[in-house]
Amino acid sequence: MRTPLVVGNWKMHGTLAEARPLATAIRDGTKRVKGVDVAVCPPFTALAAVGEIVRESSVRLGAQDCHAEPSGAHTGEVSLPMLLELGCAFVIVGHSERRREIGESDAVINGKVHAVLAQGLTPILCVGETGEERRQGLTFTTVEGQLRAGLAGVTPDAITRIVLAYEPVWAIGTGVNATPGQASEVHGYLRGLVSELASKEAAQVIRILYGGSVKPENTGELMAAPDIDGALVGGASLNAQGFLQIVRKAAHAGARGD
Ligand code: PGA
């Protein structure tokens, strides 16, 4: 049984004035919710403040990106030792916005996956096809290429410590989520690849999140789909009440053993 995981990706939202009350409401609202893991990924500038707020609660802290090197002449970058010091447990790696806007390659992403694992943190490795790739029938080819490249050289043991996120690019921030059927066929495919790359056991253990226009209204049906073990939530994670509804629905679906 995989415990569902719900991660809020705040993206470039959250001044300290906004981040503090949001984190406080999420911390307080998850106190009585059992059977689900919850993490928030604020921007770098709010990590310390949010880390203070969620410390000694069940809400984990995550970063939205990192540099693969522990230190050095990399202006504007943030290293894993810096993130560790702030109490981060997760790091999102290879988000499609970074692939597209910053031009992050699969090789760079693979370097980050190795670095995150080496520091004992959990990478949330994102894969997903564009709308054009889906129209051309390239969905599986695309996610397979991203997964194989992202996990290149990662040992089978270490693969069990990774979280995967299937995030179809056409569903991110559009209000149009993948249907449970569309998502679960890709999740099943990814799990099959993990079985090949690592082991059957790893494929059973690894959590594969869905991301792309997750909101309270579609969480129940998405989480009920086979192989969907949680959600990476962007826009809807900025509203504490909405995010908490998503968390509760994910816990409920997990408790049913779906
Ligand atoms: P969204 O973003 O929920 O706003 O679609 C998801 C993501 O990019 O992680």
Side-chain angles (χ1 to χ4, degrees):
M1 270 286 289
R2 299 178 290 267
T3 304
L5 169 64
V6 178
V7 181
N9 173 12
W10 295 3
K11 307 194 179 183
M12 198 173 71
H13 297 282
T15 60
L16 291 181
E18 293 161 340
R20 284 197 178 104
L22 179 56
T24 305
I26 291 169
R27 179 200 61 194
D28 295 346
T30 47
K31 265 185 193 145
R32 281 171 302 278
V33 188
K34 298 270 174 290
V36 59
D37 294 335
V38 179
V40 290
C41 302
F44 289 132
T45 49
L47 278 172
V50 170
E52 279 298 311
I53 290 166
V54 302
R55 204 154 48 113
E56 287 167 30
S57 81
S58 60
V59 178
R60 315 293 295 282
L61 192 64
Q64 298 173 17
D65 184 41
C66 66
H67 197 278
E69 297 293 329
S71 63
H74 303 289
T75 302
E77 294 290 332
V78 174
S79 76
L80 285 157
M82 296 168 189
L83 297 175
L84 261 176
E85 194 176 41
L86 296 176
C88 284
F90 293 96
V91 184
I92 298 172
V93 177
H95 191 279
S96 66
E97 282 151 17
R98 296 200 59 82
R99 292 179 189 261
R100 191 183 64 233
E101 292 182 16
I102 318 292
E104 271 192 22
S105 66
D106 280 325
V108 165
I109 290 161
N110 177 242
K112 292 184 181 187
V113 169
H114 280 277
V116 174
L117 287 166
Q119 293 285 347
L121 285 88
T122 301
I124 302 174
L125 173 62
C126 303
V127 301
E129 81 288 1
T130 62
E132 189 52 35
E133 286 163 339
R134 176 164 281 268
R135 276 188 290 281
Q136 290 182 14
L138 295 173
T139 298
F140 296 111
T141 313
T142 303
V143 298
E144 176 167 355
Q146 291 170 337
L147 187 78
R148 285 187 187 278
L151 296 183
V154 179
T155 63
D157 248 16
I159 289 178
T160 61
R161 292 173 35 219
I162 289 176
V163 171
L164 296 178
Y166 169 54
E167 295 211 311
V169 178
W170 50 270
I172 295 176
T174 59
V176 181
N177 57 285
T179 64
Q182 286 172 322
S184 53
E185 67 175 1
V186 177
H187 283 231
Y189 188 74
L190 292 170
R191 206 176 292 285
L193 286 169
V194 170
S195 175
E196 181 197 314
L197 292 168
S199 65
K200 273 207 189 93
E201 293 69 33
Q204 284 315 305
V205 167
I206 199 166
R207 289 189 284 195
I208 309 180
L209 314 183
Y210 167 76
S213 296
V214 173
K215 30 190 187 265
E217 305 83 65
N218 59 23
T219 302
E221 58 171 17
L222 281 162
M223 297 304 125
D227 289 319
I228 301 184
D229 307 316
L232 182 51
V233 188
S237 71
L238 298 172
N239 175 289
Q241 292 320 312
F243 185 67
L244 289 167
Q245 277 186 54
I246 292 170
V247 167
R248 283 192 291 267
K249 289 188 177 194
H252 187 243
R256 288 205 316 270
D258 294 323

